[in-house]
Amino acid sequence: MPLSQRFAPPVALFLLAPFVGEFLLGNLTLTELPLGVLLAPLYGCGALLVRELGRRSGGGWPTMVLLAAAYALIEEGPVDQLLWNDSYAGADQLHGASYLPSLGMSVELTQSVLALHTVWSICVPIALVETLTRSRRSEPWLGRVGLGVVACLYAAGAVVVFRGNYAAEHFLASPAQLAGLTVVIVGLIVAAFGIRTARLRPLPGRAPAAWRVGLAALAVTSAYWGPLNLLSADWYEWAGAVVWCLCWAAGVWWVSRWSRRAGWGVRHRFALAAGAVLTYAWVAFPARPESGGSLRADLLSNAVFALLAGLLLVWAARRAAPEDEPVARRGPAGG
């Protein structure tokens, strides 16, 4: 296999993860594209590690989802301290109605972190790049040396982000806060590899059409992100926490059942990712970037990034294989 084809999938994932995680969301604008270079080792290598460990271990998507959740807590916990910093980037995101003084954390903020990184920063880019790779979708993309290099780059990226945030914020969480979150992160990692042995029986009937799965993904993710961005009232924090739980429960329930029916395949996994991408594309417009700036520049950036995302979805849709994969037995989203 030519080197260009061999390394195309990991390079694509390396670049796509920060694009979806920060730019498509609307956190960063066109003028801040150079920041993507600094974020790529953290986001891109994090996504690569999650994907390679999930594929190498045989755990498939259930393992990758749990590892992605661990990644989310690592990034926003020990790395940039967002989960505990009440003046992060000059804004107090903690002391709302869902703030828990005993933990020094906000329920709403923690849920948001888990949603945006687990789904969009990690799982969506993996699903899109796997859709584009066709014959290598379920295979490891990196050898041991490559995996080691990616792990080192990820660690270096985490250090760069930590140092940059500390230089700007001069904030460190307490040892108890860091220890408590570490226990949760380790638990997610242990569960990610423990779930490899889980086998769920196939269900009768056929999986719904891929376009219906995509619409469901768009509806569920929009139901969460839409009100969260459009409603700033303090009372909505606990209501939003309930919505988060309902959306996650509905998503896991539906995907777990659909993925165990005949006909479930790569088109359905692509449809899930596509629905989530479309949610980010529209949610970016009412949101404002972290750096502020002019509204015109913000809207222009959102339009450009949404157009690029749309073109990527069209390309991926054309590359999606026929729905002839075997029935999945590993749980949500199959293997």
Side-chain angles (χ1 to χ4, degrees), residues 38-110:
L38 296 177
L39 294 173
L42 180 63
Y43 280 77
C45 291
L48 278 167
L49 285 175
V50 167
R51 195 265 172 193
E52 291 300 292
L53 291 174
R55 290 307 182 192
R56 284 173 172 270
S57 68
W61 276 104
T63 292
M64 288 191 280
V65 169
L66 290 172
L67 290 177
Y71 166 91
L73 296 180
I74 292 171
E75 178 179 332
E76 304 293 8
V79 174
D80 69 11
Q81 309 281 309
L82 169 65
L83 292 177
W84 306 289
N85 188 352
D86 60 3
S87 61
Y88 186 88
D92 184 356
Q93 302 185 59
L94 292 181
H95 293 127
S98 66
Y99 178 70
L100 302 178
S102 59
L103 299 178
M105 298 173 68
S106 161
V107 173
E108 182 271 329
L109 178 61
T110 304

Side-chain angles (χ1 to χ4, degrees), residues 95-216:
H95 293 127
S98 66
Y99 178 70
L100 302 178
S102 59
L103 299 178
M105 298 173 68
S106 161
V107 173
E108 182 271 329
L109 178 61
T110 304
Q111 289 177 326
S112 297
V113 161
L114 282 168
L116 67 90
H117 288 308
T118 302
V119 177
W120 283 272
S121 298
I122 303 297
C123 291
V124 164
I126 291 174
L128 292 178
V129 177
E130 285 195 345
T131 301
L132 294 171
T133 56
R134 286 188 173 173
S135 62
R136 300 179 61 198
R137 287 180 181 131
S138 300
E139 300 175 6
W141 294 337
L142 301 170
R144 291 184 178 180
V145 173
L147 193 61
V149 170
V150 166
C152 290
L153 286 174
Y154 170 72
V159 170
V160 168
V161 172
F162 171 79
R163 289 175 63 89
N165 277 276
Y166 183 74
E169 307 285 342
H170 298 289
F171 175 89
L172 283 177
S174 70
Q177 288 172 322
L178 290 169
L181 192 65
T182 299
V183 171
V184 176
I185 292 169
V186 171
L188 286 170
I189 294 173
V190 170
F193 293 109
I195 204 172
R196 293 175 302 167
T197 59
R199 293 292 186 274
L200 299 177
R201 61 181 180 83
L203 294 177
R206 289 193 61 82
W211 67 268
R212 294 181 183 272
V213 173
L215 281 181

Side-chain angles (χ1 to χ4, degrees), residues 295-309:
L295 179 60
R296 181 178 180 181
D298 178 26
L299 295 178
L300 176 61
S301 298
N302 293 337
V304 171
F305 297 145
L307 176 61
L308 292 175

